[in-house]
Every structure is written in C-alpha cells, then in structure tokens.
Amino acid sequence: MQTLTLKRWISSISILSLLSLIVSLALLLYGSDALKPYDALIGLKSFFTGNIQSETVKTILFQVRLPRIILALITGGALATAGAGFQAILKNPLADPYVLGISSGAALGVIVSLYLGVFISIAGISSTMVFAFAGAMLTLYIVYRLGTVDNKIPPHTMLLSGVMVNAIIFAAILMVVSISDSLNLYKILFWLLGYLSSPDYLTLLAAFIFAFIGALILFSQAKSLNILTMDDDTAATLGLNVERIKKLVLVGGALLVAASVSICGPISFIGIMIPHTIRLLAGYDYRFILPVSMIGGGVFLAVADTVARTLLSPAEIPVGIITALAGGPFFLYLLRTRRLI
C-alpha cells in the first residue's frame, strides 16, 4: 500500500469528485417518461449555453431531478461518513448509526412531529429537522450515559447500550404508528422505508450545513482515528485524549445522521457497506476513508434513487429497498472474493 502524501490525497479526491460530478450529471438524464434522456440531454446542453427553450424541461431538470440528486449526495455521504467514524471509535465492523440507535432516535423525533401535525419551516430549517436532531442527540446522550463505565466509553458496553436503546425506540415507533390515523399511517410507513423527494433549495442548504458541520468534526479527527485503530490504552500512551475524541465523533456522527433522517427517513446499509468497501479497496487510513466514504455514499444513493424512480415508472420504489437489495449482495460478493468470509 502506498504512503498517503498530500499530493496523492489531493489528486485522488479531485479525481473521485470529478467522477461523482459526471455521474450526477448523467443521472439528470434519467427519470419518468415525461422527459426522455435525449430531450433531457438537449435541455441540459441548452442550460449551459443559456438558451433553454422549454419551461417544462427546465422545471423537470432543475426543480425535480437536480434537488433530488443533490439530496441523495448529501444523505448518502452523511450516512457513510457517520458509519466510518462509529466503526473506528467502537472498533466493531457492525457499528453504524442504526446499531447505536441514533437513526432510530432521529426517526422517532420525525414521527412524533408527523403525529402531532407540526409543520413549520423557517429559512429552510423545518420542524421535522429540529425534531430529528433532538431525537438523535437525546438518544446519543442516553446511549452515552448507559455505555459509560468509570468515565470511559468501552466499545462493547456502548454497542450493547445502543442495541438495547434501539430496540426500545423501535417499540415506541411501532406504538406511535399503531395509534396514528390512516393518513398519517401511510406517510409514516412510506417514510420509514426510506424515501427521497425533491426538496426546495433552501431545505437542501440547511441539510448541507448540518452535514457539513458533522463531517468537519469527523475529518478533523481523522489522524486520531488512525491511532485509535490500536487499543485505547496504547492510543492514550501516545498522547491521545481517547474519551474526548470518541465524544467528538459521536456528536459529529449524530449531526450527520439527523441531517439525512430528517428528510429521507432511515435508509439502511450505506453506513456499513460503503466504509467497508472503501477499506477493502483502498486501505485503512481514515484521512482517505472519511472523504472517499462521503463521495462513495452520495453517488451510491443517487444511483439507487434513480433506479427506484425509473425501474417501475411511473410508480416509485422506496430507495431504502433498493439500497438493501443492491448493497447486501454486492458487499457479500466483495467479502467472498477477498476470502474474508
């Protein structure tokens, strides 16, 4: 494995970012039967030349498809980055926002807001986003308190606490679902399957800011996460404040999860599959794993959503079903071919 120099890091991230941009532009061409790929290509070309003719083409491309693709890039990237961070501090390949209960906590917050009929939006920050963030942070606090032993965060107790809290929250979600009226029941069930919509650009900006702050916190700890792959005692003897780093990563991960769950619902598999795939293909340096997981998670979800909205068009499949069906077999294949299972 080559040493990760600054030059190699910049060139690799630049190439991957360019590829993700090309894929995203290509995905703009595909959608419902209302706009064929060729018409979309002409519309896209006209936009760049400043001579777009059809308002319908403009609306479908830039008010429906583009916001949805951007949302997929933000959400997929946020979930994959959070998963990579949690796996590093808990030293467990199965650790992700769902196992720790943070996704479920955010989901419960959103479901409560839907059940209460609270729909407020100020400067792109909606009430569901606030409820999701509150649910994620409250769950994180409970899991943290339950998993802390002698002012330390042992990975196994943190994971066990997360699993138990997750089960309790899931029961609470089922209870709210069972007492909801038929209209709210349909909304909640569809949302729980993981669903991308076409939000306005102000909402996208708010979600991006949440995710950006969370990602920034995790990226700032990348070098420390490399040291944390050793045991905690060894990392502490090397001068690392282990417990402080774990708290920072947990808070950053909660921000990333809240940003995605508040808009799209809990989408499975990305938080586990993408970071592991990056590790298998590119090694174990978190200065590389974190940003590449963000790019890879975003592109994966954007492609999965395009499949979800075109496979049975005009009907749509919740994207959470596509990520589970596509991601699971691919990940097993990768593990099998590398003789890891």
Side-chain angles (χ1 to χ4, degrees):
M1 189 67 63
Q2 289 182 324
T3 304
L4 183 64
T5 61
L6 180 62
K7 183 180 178 182
R8 182 168 171 254
W9 186 91
I10 291 174
S11 60
S12 301
I13 298 300
S14 300
I15 292 170
L16 290 170
S17 299
L18 181 62
L19 287 174
S20 71
L21 179 63
I22 293 170
V23 172
S24 302
L25 287 174
L27 294 177
L28 264 178
L29 307 181
Y30 296 94
S32 68
D33 290 337
L35 185 61
K36 302 292 184 186
Y38 177 76
D39 299 326
L41 183 62
I42 296 299
L44 198 57
K45 181 183 174 186
S46 303
F47 176 80
F48 284 112
T49 58
N51 190 31
I52 194 161
Q53 299 291 328
S54 170
E55 282 301 316
T56 304
V57 171
K58 184 180 176 183
T59 301
I60 292 176
L61 279 180
F62 301 106
Q63 299 299 321
V64 178
R65 292 184 188 176
L66 183 60
R68 191 160 169 159
I69 291 171
I70 294 174
L71 178 61
L73 293 174
I74 294 172
T75 302
L79 290 174
T81 309
F86 291 152
Q87 286 151 24
I89 60 168
L90 298 177
K91 301 176 180 62
N92 190 305
L94 295 178
D96 85 333
Y98 298 92
V99 175
L100 287 173
I102 297 173
S103 288
S104 300
L108 180 60
V110 174
I111 288 173
V112 168
S113 76
L114 292 175
Y115 177 75
L116 296 176
V118 180
F119 297 105
I120 301 170
S121 181
I122 300 173
I125 300 176
S126 65
S127 53
T128 54
M129 201 176 283
V130 174
F131 273 76
F133 180 68
M137 295 308 293
L138 182 60
T139 304
L140 176 61
Y141 177 75
I142 294 170
V143 172
Y144 169 75
R145 296 300 300 174
L146 291 174
T148 301
V149 179
D150 296 333
N151 292 321
K152 292 185 177 180
I153 312 173
H156 62 285
T157 58
M158 188 80 179
L159 272 173
L160 286 174
S161 302
V163 170
M164 289 300 106
V165 171
N166 193 22
I168 295 168
I169 291 175
F170 187 67
I173 289 174
L174 290 180
M175 187 179 75
V176 176
V177 169
S178 66
I179 60 176
S180 296
D181 58 45
S182 57
L183 181 60
N184 272 335
L185 181 64
Y186 176 78
K187 286 181 185 173
I188 290 170
L189 285 178
F190 206 73
W191 182 82
L192 279 174
L193 292 172
Y195 173 73
L196 294 184
S197 60
S198 302
D200 59 71
Y201 287 98
L202 208 53
T203 302
L204 282 175
L205 179 62
F208 173 77
I209 291 172
F210 267 88
F212 179 76
I213 295 171
L216 209 58
I217 293 172
L218 264 65
F219 289 174
S220 70
Q221 302 303 313
K223 284 181 71 174
S224 300
L225 291 178
N226 285 340
I227 301 173
L228 268 181
T229 53
M230 299 181 279
D231 64 86
D232 289 359
D233 291 336
T234 304
T237 58
L238 292 173
L240 222 59
N241 189 335
V242 175
E243 304 310 319
R244 179 177 174 274
I245 292 166
K246 287 182 178 179
K247 289 175 188 173
L248 281 173
V249 172
L250 287 170
V251 171
L255 276 170
L256 288 164
V257 174
S260 62
V261 174
S262 64
I263 303 178
C264 308
I267 298 174
S268 61
F269 254 100
I270 296 177
I272 287 183
M273 185 188 70
I274 298 298
H276 280 296
T277 304
I278 302 301
R279 282 192 205 95
L280 290 173
L281 296 176
Y284 290 79
D285 192 327
Y286 278 90
R287 293 172 298 173
F288 194 70
I289 290 173
L290 289 173
V292 176
S293 292
M294 174 164 276
I295 296 170
V299 172
F300 174 75
L301 187 58
V303 173
D305 183 55
T306 302
V307 173
R309 59 188 165 85
T310 55
L311 191 63
L312 300 178
S313 179
E316 276 192 30
I317 305 169
V319 70
I321 295 174
I322 300 295
T323 59
L325 288 176
F330 171 74
F331 185 50
L332 288 173
Y333 168 78
L334 201 60
L335 289 176
R336 189 68 183 169
T337 53
R338 304 253 168 171
R339 299 184 181 279
L340 295 176
I341 58 174

